Amino acid sequence: MVHRFKHILPVAVLSGLFVQLAWSDEPPAAKSLWQTVTALPPTGQPPTPRKPWVLREREIALDLSLLYVLKDAGARPLPKITVELFDKAEPELDVSSTVSRINDTAVIRGTLNSPFEGDFTFVVTGNLLIGTIQMGDRLYKTEHMANGRLRLVEVDSEKMPPD
């Protein structure tokens, strides 16, 4: 009776090992650094007029746990991180440089992975992320609105005044 099952045990062990190796090769799903805020809380303030160089804008909320990993210069390898822009474009960030400062500030630079071409620079202080994304001929900025709230803005660079 034991002789019948002695061949099954090694096959079962090897099958379990093969399945575990196959699952470990699956790339982890990308996480978005921010999401669109759909319901805006009333602020009691009149809306600010739109600047002539702003093409589109919307309020965003950061994924704070992902932000903390992103600004940690020692956190490598980074998970796959995307950003949600307009027109359903979600480029993946390829971080090339993170410089962290003692005052809880980090400067993060990198490029956008294929099929998107472009680069980005973010400055993170505490829970705020201010930065720019250049994707082809399009320019996007994140701006601080008030009380830790952020917005994503698509800018017409030809109409924008110089810094």
Side-chain angles (χ1 to χ4, degrees):
M1 183 77 166
V2 173
H3 295 289
R4 281 188 207 169
F5 296 110
K6 76 178 186 178
H7 298 293
I8 294 174
L9 181 61
V11 170
V13 169
L14 290 174
S15 297
L17 182 62
F18 176 73
V19 167
Q20 187 176 19
L21 287 174
W23 280 345
S24 67
D25 287 342
E26 290 181 17
K31 295 181 179 182
S32 183
L33 184 55
W34 60 67
Q35 293 78 35
T36 301
V37 174
T38 53
L40 300 175
T43 61
Q45 298 176 356
T48 56
R50 186 180 251 183
K51 298 170 185 163
W53 56 86
V54 173
L55 298 173
R56 297 185 271 190
E57 64 183 331
R58 69 166 182 255
E59 188 168 345
I60 57 173
L62 295 172
D63 179 334
L64 294 179
S65 61
L66 198 53
L67 181 68
Y68 296 144
V69 171
L70 184 63
K71 75 179 189 176
D72 180 2
R76 297 292 185 268
L78 289 171
K80 289 186 177 187
I81 301 172
T82 62
V83 289
E84 180 185 328
L85 301 174
F86 297 98
D87 299 328
K88 299 185 181 186
E90 289 194 43
E92 183 181 332
L93 304 179
D94 184 9
V95 176
S96 58
S97 168
T98 302
V99 178
S100 297
R101 303 286 181 205
I102 197 163
N103 64 352
D104 198 27
T105 298
V107 177
I108 302 139
R109 291 187 174 96
T111 57
L112 307 177
N113 282 342
S114 294
F116 302 98
E117 290 187 23
D119 54 40
F120 65 92
T121 301
F122 297 143
V123 177
V124 181
T125 300
N127 293 340
L128 294 178
L129 178 141
I130 306 301
T132 59
I133 300 171
Q134 180 78 46
M135 189 170 77
D137 61 347
R138 294 186 173 202
L139 179 63
Y140 302 91
K141 290 184 165 230
T142 58
E143 296 179 346
H144 182 240
M145 293 168 39
N147 299 324
R149 294 173 47 205
L150 297 174
R151 77 172 140 227
L152 175 67
V153 178
E154 183 176 358
V155 174
D156 182 343
S157 56
E158 292 179 4
K159 292 182 181 177
M160 193 170 154
D163 286 334

